[in-house]
Amino acid sequence: MIQLAALLLAAQTGYVPPVLKGVKGDVPARTITGPIPFPDPNAKWIVVRSKHFVFISSAGEPRTRSIAADLETLASALTNLSPQFRSAPDAPTRIFLFTRPRESRPYFEMLLDRRDANVTGVFVSQKSGGAMILNATYSRDDRTPFHELVHYLISNSDSRPPLWLEEGLAEYFSNAEVRNGKLYGGVRLRRHIDILRTRKILPLAKLFSIRRDSDTYNLAEGQAIFYAESWAVVDWLMRNGGRDGAAFYDFLRDVEQRVPVETALQKNYGRSLRDLETSLHSYLLRRPDFTLTLRVPPTEAATEAMPLDRAGLLYELGRFLAHIEEMKDEATHHFRGALEANSRHARSLAGLGRFDEALAADPNDGEIYVDYAESLMKDQMGALAEATETSDIPAFRKARELAQRAIDLGDADARALGALGTSYITEHYSELGPGIAALERAHALLPARTDYALHLFAMYRRTGDRAKAGELFARLEATRNAQVAFAARAVIVRVETGRANELVRQQNLDEAARADLEKQADDYARVAATNRQIEAYNKAIGEVNRGDYAAARKSLKQLIGGTVDADIARDAKKLLAQLEGR
């Protein structure tokens, strides 16, 4: 039995997360670098709040309120239509409205890593809610705001649909109109129709397999086909989905839960994939006019408008950039600019990690206490949560005090609760009750925050609540996030390793328990092998980041030459191809 315990322990040793885009750097290097020029210091900016959004705008109050009304109307209609569209009142999306396109362009170029980015808006999903940058001069024919709004509403749900389905939905509702108390959607998108009638379309099986890192999605020619065809499939499914598209939303829910597309199609439409492909071809040739009509429920108008000073504006832009790994230097640039305008701007001091100075400047700002708490818990907040174990008990207990202070100040929002609950992960399993209670509340308010869900999952496993842990694990799997799936399995490895070693120490095993542990040992041995491959891939990434391309090529060739997990092999081959000639 000692050998069994050792094997279980070996499976856990060195269990590191796979490289994430934006965490350790991509290849090739970014082509657009800063610093981003600050907006005109003489421009007047305001903050306008509505139910789902916080607008930071230079467009003036009337135009800002008009845009807020449009976005709130569609948000209200969609959230009443299906639970797959969900807002997050505790993490409203921040929308930056620029009047001057020349001032927004550097942000678009930096975010998209592309010169002369011909866009009028972009949505970025972030740890503390999403954010949009929009040109307030967009016309009624510009579909960007509604397209990005759909991404925001989907990002707040428990699970995410595959890429084609999410982008198809965003395109479908992108040209919605509100007239006479009704919302009209599903109007034909002529650009997509023209593309599909003049170019060779993708086989549906290929369309459904495309991911964000696929060349088809990232190269201009393939992207045009991908968006057009994704829209056409969703449009057909909506049109044939019965009253209010009921069959479509059942189909959407099934696919989000990883039911194969063909199975979901047969179940909800009585059609096969071949049937859909045939129908789609004839449909594109003779698409009838069609408009989805929805009653618009009463919408909540913007509630307040307040002026925003120079320091506040630069802080808000810096805060947005700080949540994007590649933009950390730009965030620092903005925070320093804010301090040049106001040397005691508390939140900018906090943005630079000068938390004690920030609290001295404003001891009653709950957001600073939460930011401070999150910084102490480092990678356990955000994308790398639960990927590794942590043992810095003093730091987590200080974080708990800071989060509790924010709550005492009346700032008992989801972030404060999430930080409070997370601070318990270093405690003995018998002390996890308050942490579980706080995380359950935070997770209910912000289901898209997978770090909260992962910590809650770990606590359920540690306290032996297998039923709740199983239910939450299924929801984590439905996020279609490889990092989240990795972290959830890392939790199981750690918890079950501890359990096995405790049983070994007690010598309290019957034959059934011994057989169960031996099966787990085999599973964990396979996990350990995959982990060693991930470590080798990470090593190559580190060599690339240091500019040692020859060493990186050698490491990748060695990795590919062995027995390798299919996903790791695909990423390694893609990286190796990108390194050719460097």
Side-chain angles (χ1 to χ4, degrees):
M1 285 308 302
I2 297 299
Q3 289 180 340
L4 175 60
L7 179 56
L8 289 170
L9 187 59
Q12 183 185 2
T13 302
Y15 203 77
V16 297
V19 172
L20 299 174
K21 282 194 171 184
V23 173
K24 293 198 175 185
D26 297 327
V27 177
R30 293 183 63 84
T31 58
I32 308 298
T33 57
I36 295 176
F38 294 152
D40 183 349
N42 297 314
K44 293 182 179 179
W45 287 75
I46 58 173
V47 176
V48 175
R49 299 178 185 274
S50 63
K51 181 178 180 181
H52 299 99
F53 309 105
V54 175
F55 294 86
I56 297 158
S57 171
S58 64
E61 189 171 336
R63 176 62 172 153
T64 304
R65 287 185 177 275
S66 174
I67 293 172
D70 285 348
L71 292 174
E72 286 290 355
T73 297
L74 182 58
S76 182
L78 293 183
T79 53
N80 278 274
L81 180 65
S82 168
Q84 275 82 11
F85 300 111
R86 180 170 178 172
S87 63
D90 269 62
T93 284
R94 275 172 157 70
I95 299 180
F96 296 88
L97 287 174
F98 283 84
T99 304
R100 300 178 175 89
R102 62 182 170 79
E103 291 187 347
S104 62
R105 188 177 300 114
Y107 292 94
F108 291 136
E109 290 180 342
M110 186 74 72
L111 290 167
L112 301 173
D113 196 26
R114 191 167 73 235
R115 293 282 181 200
D116 299 320
N118 186 27
V119 296
T120 57
V122 66
F123 171 77
V124 179
S125 181
Q126 298 184 317
K127 181 178 72 175
S128 299
M132 290 188 211
I133 292 183
L134 296 176
N135 283 338
T137 53
Y138 74 86
S139 69
R140 287 286 180 180
D141 294 330
D142 189 335
R143 299 183 293 106
T144 299
F146 280 5
H147 178 104
E148 302 302 342
L149 174 62
V150 173
H151 283 306
Y152 157 71
L153 294 172
I154 290 175
S155 74
N156 291 313
S157 65
D158 287 338
S159 57
R160 297 292 290 267
L163 185 63
W164 72 269
L165 188 47
E166 181 169 338
E167 293 292 359
L169 271 169
E171 285 294 278
Y172 180 83
F173 286 109
S174 66
N175 65 343
E177 295 181 12
V178 179
R179 299 193 307 270
N180 302 321
K182 293 182 179 179
L183 183 141
Y184 297 89
V187 178
R188 73 172 62 207
L189 294 179
R190 183 160 298 281
R191 178 173 178 272
H192 289 338
I193 291 286
D194 291 343
I195 287 172
L196 293 169
R197 286 178 175 172
T198 58
R199 302 186 197 179
K200 184 178 180 181
I201 67 174
L202 299 168
L204 290 183
K206 181 174 182 180
L207 176 75
F208 297 158
S209 69
I210 290 173
R211 308 187 325 173
R212 292 193 186 278
D213 60 352
S214 302
D215 287 342
T216 304
Y217 180 72
N218 287 287
L219 299 179
E221 179 69 17
Q223 195 174 75
I225 292 289
F226 171 79
Y227 274 91
E229 194 168 345
S230 296
W231 164 78
V233 175
V234 168
D235 189 80
W236 186 94
L237 292 170
M238 280 283 200
R239 182 186 301 272
N240 293 278
R243 183 179 177 84
D244 293 331
F248 172 80
Y249 291 106
D250 289 340
F251 169 86
L252 173 61
R253 184 179 61 252
D254 286 343
V255 174
E256 282 182 332
Q257 299 301 321
R258 295 182 176 270
V259 173
V261 172
E262 188 156 12
T263 303
L265 191 63
Q266 187 68 49
K267 172 186 171 185
N268 295 289
Y269 288 84
R271 302 287 187 99
S272 68
L273 206 57
R274 183 183 291 258
D275 293 335
L276 175 58
E277 206 147 26
T278 302
S279 298
L280 195 61
H281 280 281
S282 60
Y283 166 75
L284 290 173
L285 293 173
R286 300 183 303 276
R287 181 190 186 278
D289 289 331
F290 170 79
T291 302
L292 171 72
T293 305
L294 299 173
R295 288 190 305 163
V296 179
T299 57
E300 188 172 323
T303 55
E304 58 178 312
M306 299 176 62
L308 184 66
D309 63 18
R310 179 71 170 172
L313 169 64
L314 295 181
Y315 164 74
E316 290 289 352
L317 287 166
R319 180 177 183 267
F320 162 66
L321 295 168
H323 292 293
I324 305 169
E325 186 66 26
E326 296 92 338
M327 304 289 113
K328 292 294 176 66
D329 289 344
E330 284 301 321
T332 297
H333 172 57
H334 281 70
F335 292 143
R336 287 175 177 164
L339 291 177
E340 288 177 8
N342 176 3
S343 62
R344 289 183 57 78
H345 192 264
R347 291 188 176 183
S348 295
L349 288 166
L352 292 171
R354 295 158 60 178
F355 291 107
D356 292 329
E357 293 177 68
L359 290 175
D362 189 349
N364 296 312
D365 188 334
E367 184 170 308
I368 295 174
Y369 287 96
V370 177
D371 287 344
Y372 196 175
E374 289 185 343
S375 75
L376 289 170
M377 294 184 286
K378 299 180 181 176
D379 285 347
Q380 294 297 348
M381 306 303 303
L384 298 179
E386 290 292 345
T388 57
E389 200 165 13
T390 188
S391 58
D392 192 351
I393 295 175
F396 277 70
R397 287 181 176 172
K398 182 174 181 179
R400 188 178 312 155
E401 294 173 3
L402 292 164
Q404 186 61 57
R405 175 63 175 152
I407 293 170
D408 293 342
L409 285 169
D411 191 13
D413 67 1
R415 283 186 64 218
L417 292 165
L420 179 66
T422 301
S423 73
Y424 280 86
I425 66 174
T426 56
E427 303 297 338
H428 188 268
Y429 71 86
S430 62
E431 305 293 329
L432 296 181
I436 290 173
L439 282 171
E440 285 177 336
R441 292 175 62 194
H443 177 59
L445 292 167
L446 290 180
R449 282 288 299 259
T450 55
D451 49 352
Y452 298 162
L454 281 164
H455 295 314
L456 185 57
F457 170 67
M459 291 184 184
Y460 285 153
R461 292 284 305 202
R462 290 177 63 195
T463 55
D465 195 336
R466 292 296 186 94
K468 287 184 178 179
E471 181 182 339
L472 190 49
F473 183 83
R475 293 205 295 271
L476 289 167
E477 285 278 278
T479 63
R480 300 176 181 272
N481 183 315
Q483 175 64 28
V484 170
F486 172 92
R489 284 165 174 76
V491 166
I492 296 171
V493 168
R494 287 196 297 272
V495 173
E496 294 306 318
T497 297
R499 172 176 167 266
N501 284 333
E502 181 62 28
L503 288 171
V504 168
R505 282 193 295 272
Q506 295 174 0
Q507 292 293 305
N508 185 24
L509 294 171
D510 56 24
E511 287 300 321
R514 185 175 291 107
D516 181 53
L517 285 176
E518 287 172 351
K519 180 180 181 301
Q520 290 181 36
D522 289 339
D523 292 340
Y524 298 157
R526 285 192 292 272
V527 169
T530 301
N531 179 65
R532 287 191 293 273
Q533 297 163 18
I534 292 169
E535 287 184 297
Y537 182 76
N538 281 0
K539 176 175 176 286
I541 286 287
E543 290 162 345
V544 171
N545 289 340
R546 294 193 300 274
D548 193 349
Y549 302 132
R553 282 193 290 270
K554 181 179 179 181
S555 297
L556 290 167
K557 287 176 181 177
Q558 290 175 343
L559 175 61
I560 295 168
T563 303
V564 186
D565 174 85
D567 288 339
I568 298 172
R570 184 196 63 247
D571 291 345
K573 289 176 182 176
K574 184 174 181 179
L575 179 58
L576 185 60
Q578 290 174 321
L579 287 173
E580 290 302 323
R582 292 177 69 91

